[in-house]
């Protein structure tokens, strides 16, 4: 029996009051699948500096210890789910920076894009699909848009009840897991 594929759910926001980790933890729970190993990759914890490598990532001549560690971490995954908020119709800079540090490590790996925002963050999803195409990733068919509204949040800006608010997305998240399993499990 082959080893289970490793799928990294990348938390693509580093705001101090973010809800992105809550969304990612909920998504990981809903995506549980007996043929996949799922884990969170929190960009706030990784804390990469603004791109500081002297050479372009395609040359793979990394000089900085943080880039080498990031490369090793990402190389250990077979696929990814990018989870992030839509900011002004785009994606967060911390996510783009993390992607731009590397090149070959992303190549050919399947990715599902899970953006949340008003109207599901579809503008940011479209923009991110262009980035993932440029990195030669495989854009999966299932990319659940997560609609949010002010009524979902308490006075501290956190979800009142993410289980209730996102109940309609359980099926699409299970579809993401099934798609990863179909693509990666031999």
């Amino acid at each position: 029996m082959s080893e289970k594929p490793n799928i990294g759910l990348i938390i693509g926001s580093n705001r101090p009051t973010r809800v992105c980790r809550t969304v990612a933890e909920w998504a990981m729970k809903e995506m549980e699948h007996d043929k996949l190993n799922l884990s969170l990759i929190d960009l706030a914890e990784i804390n990469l500096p603004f791109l500081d490598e002297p050479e372009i990532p395609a040359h793979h001549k990394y000089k900085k210890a943080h880039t080498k560690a990031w490369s090793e971490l990402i190389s250990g995954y077979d696929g990814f789910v990018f989870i992030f908020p839509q900011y002004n119709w785009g994606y967060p800079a911390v996510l783009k920076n993390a992607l731009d540090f590397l090149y070959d490590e992303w190549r050919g790996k399947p990715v599902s894009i899970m953006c949340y925002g008003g109207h599901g963050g579809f503008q940011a999803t479209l923009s991110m699909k262009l980035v993932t195409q440029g990195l030669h990733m495989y854009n999966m068919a299932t990319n659940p848009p997560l609609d949010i509204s002010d009524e979902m949040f308490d006075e501290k800006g956190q979800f009142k009840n993410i289980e209730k608010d996102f109940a309609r997305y359980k099926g699409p998240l299970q579809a993401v897991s099934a798609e990863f399993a179909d693509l990666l499990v031999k």
Side-chain angles (χ1 to χ4, degrees):
M1 181 161 179
S2 64
E3 195 174 303
K4 292 181 184 181
N6 292 314
I7 307 301
L9 285 75
I10 295 183
I11 301 170
S13 173
N14 62 344
R15 276 191 176 162
T17 58
R18 67 190 174 149
V19 295
C20 198
R21 184 165 186 108
T22 302
V23 174
E25 289 169 349
W26 173 83
M28 190 167 85
K29 180 177 62 89
E30 296 303 327
M31 289 178 62
E32 283 182 9
H33 193 289
D34 61 352
K35 294 182 180 177
L36 303 173
N37 287 323
L38 304 174
S39 60
L40 298 177
I41 302 169
D42 191 339
L43 295 180
E45 293 173 5
I46 301 293
N47 198 26
L48 289 168
F50 193 73
L51 188 57
D52 64 349
E53 283 289 335
E55 298 219 22
I56 64 171
H59 293 162
H60 212 279
K61 295 180 181 176
Y62 305 136
K63 306 286 187 225
K64 309 285 183 165
H66 54 261
T67 308
K68 292 174 184 176
W70 180 234
S71 172
E72 185 177 331
L73 176 68
I74 294 305
S75 294
Y77 285 90
D78 302 296
F80 300 95
V81 178
F82 296 161
I83 301 171
F84 59 94
Q86 177 171 279
Y87 291 166
N88 303 314
W89 290 20
Y91 41 78
V94 68
L95 179 55
K96 182 67 164 78
N97 185 56
L99 292 169
D100 287 346
F101 257 94
L102 308 175
Y103 185 71
D104 290 328
E105 295 85 346
W106 304 113
R107 180 182 293 275
K109 293 185 180 176
V111 61
S112 178
I113 298 168
M114 194 177 305
C115 185
Y116 58 91
H119 310 291
F122 77 91
Q123 296 95 339
T125 298
L126 290 173
S127 297
M128 184 53 69
K129 280 186 177 186
L130 293 173
V131 172
T132 57
Q133 286 173 353
L135 291 168
H136 305 285
M137 297 181 84
Y138 172 76
N139 281 299
M140 293 179 27
T142 310
N143 300 284
L146 307 175
D147 289 319
I148 60 171
S149 64
D150 291 340
E151 295 78 31
M152 294 178 176
F153 299 97
D154 64 19
E155 63 281 346
K156 294 179 182 174
Q158 300 301 305
F159 281 99
K160 293 177 192 173
N161 187 343
I162 194 169
E163 292 292 331
K164 178 178 131 306
D165 293 335
F166 281 1
R168 67 186 178 272
Y169 300 118
K170 289 182 180 189
L173 266 63
Q174 292 163 358
V176 171
S177 291
E179 191 174 347
F180 274 121
D182 289 345
L183 285 170
L184 300 171
V185 177
K186 309 288 184 264

